[in-house]
Amino acid sequence: DSCVFCNIIRGNDKEARILYQDDEVIVIRGKFPVALHHILVLPVRHIKNAKHLTPEDLNLGLINIDSLYLISTLKTLMLNLSS
């Protein structure tokens, strides 16, 4: 599959740093971050582009971003402490 995000979701990209995962979304750190806590929230279901979004997809955005930020911060701190 040529979709880089689908490859990450399937576990084919060993470099992807998963911060959170459930049945609907996976959250990873950006591979080329432009900010300290650059994260990507990816739907598990392949969505070709915005034209292919459905009304059900609107719920994908209802993630508690504060919790994701906390998870990212804690993982960053743990990585820094272990190195």
Side-chain angles (χ1 to χ4, degrees):
D1 191 344
S2 62
C3 177
V4 66
F5 299 122
C6 288
N7 285 324
I8 291 169
I9 291 164
R10 282 192 217 104
N12 296 337
D13 184 342
K14 302 303 179 200
E15 294 179 22
R17 294 174 58 192
I18 298 171
L19 303 174
Y20 174 83
Q21 186 171 6
D22 65 24
D23 293 337
E24 295 183 340
V25 297
I26 185 170
V27 179
I28 62 170
R29 291 185 61 89
K31 195 169 189 175
F32 304 104
V34 295
L36 179 60
H37 299 289
H38 184 142
I39 61 172
L40 301 171
V41 180
L42 309 172
V44 170
R45 181 178 71 80
H46 178 81
I47 300 173
K48 184 175 180 177
N49 58 43
K51 291 180 182 179
H52 290 89
L53 290 169
T54 67
E56 293 79 29
D57 294 325
L58 296 177
N59 291 329
L60 293 173
L62 298 178
I63 296 194
N64 186 335
I65 297 300
D66 290 334
S67 296
L68 296 176
Y69 177 81
L70 178 61
I71 291 168
S72 175
T73 301
L74 290 174
K75 287 194 174 202
T76 300
L77 288 173
M78 290 188 303
L79 287 173
N80 288 339
L81 291 175
S82 66
S83 50

